[in-house]
Amino acid sequence: MTFSRRKFVAAAAGLVGSLAGCAGGSGGGGDGEDGDTEPTATETSTPEPTATETPTPSGPPEDAPVQTVTVENKTFIPMVAEVEPGTVVEWVYDGIGSHSVTSMSPSSSESGRTAWNPDVASDWEMNEDIGSEPVSHYFPEEGVYEYKCSYDFGHIGGCAAVVVGDQEYDQEMLPCEPQ
């Protein structure tokens, strides 16, 4: 088979033309159109902002007032700590032996520790040993929070209360006396 020069040049020109069309060339971007049409706008949706719930702080604010209760001679001092809502109570013990802060609640269903004055006592949960490090609890709401030392309750001063806000409660309501 012999090719004439004319057929060869025509075939080469056709090949070059088809390659230029595939590569986009100078026309309409290789889409087969002449390039005179407007580009089509693609619709994009902007998502609506969602409300994010602000988390409720789980602990006291950094500037919360602190009331210290000490354990001396198996007695909580003061036996009735009167504080304002939003106070942190810290229990401290420097002696030898074991002491605890064990909550008493009007409903003993969970803890099994019924408050001495369930008609005025508030529900709360704490059962912490006081050792070389103090223990603390944040009291954000008004109420009467009775507690005892699990180890010394049989002794004279092993019971106490934290009275938060304007509550009717005094030391005589406790089943123990200072030692």
Side-chain angles (χ1 to χ4, degrees):
M1 174 176 346
T2 52
F3 288 103
S4 71
R5 190 171 183 197
R6 210 175 281 206
K7 284 186 180 181
F8 183 75
V9 171
L15 180 63
V16 170
S18 65
L19 288 176
C22 290
S26 61
D31 59 2
E33 296 196 18
D34 62 2
D36 291 337
T37 60
E38 293 287 323
T40 306
T42 304
E43 203 173 306
T44 58
S45 63
T46 304
E48 292 293 320
T50 57
T52 304
E53 226 177 274
T54 304
T56 303
S58 60
E62 289 183 23
D63 61 345
V66 177
Q67 167 75 43
T68 301
V69 174
T70 59
V71 179
E72 293 179 14
N73 297 324
K74 301 179 182 180
T75 301
F76 292 103
I77 299 175
M79 288 180 69
V80 176
E82 295 179 352
V83 300
E84 291 301 314
T87 300
V88 173
V89 175
E90 182 177 76
W91 289 269
V92 179
Y93 176 62
D94 288 331
I96 299 172
S98 297
H99 289 278
S100 74
V101 177
T102 305
S103 60
M104 307 297 285
S105 295
S107 165
S108 64
S109 59
E110 286 188 35
S111 67
R113 301 180 301 265
T114 304
W116 304 294
N117 299 286
D119 52 327
V120 296
S122 301
D123 275 318
W124 72 302
E125 196 59 43
M126 184 163 183
N127 191 14
E128 298 284 332
D129 286 337
I130 308 171
S132 59
E133 295 294 317
V135 297
S136 62
H137 188 81
Y138 177 53
F139 292 94
E141 298 177 8
E142 288 192 357
V144 175
Y145 302 90
E146 296 178 325
Y147 63 95
K148 67 177 183 173
C149 173
S150 292
Y151 306 113
D152 288 328
F153 183 62
H155 295 93
I156 295 173
C159 66
V162 175
V163 178
V164 183
D166 188 23
Q167 306 292 317
E168 293 294 323
Y169 194 92
D170 61 34
Q171 189 170 318
E172 293 175 6
M173 296 175 78
L174 293 171
C176 57
E177 297 176 9
Q179 186 168 331

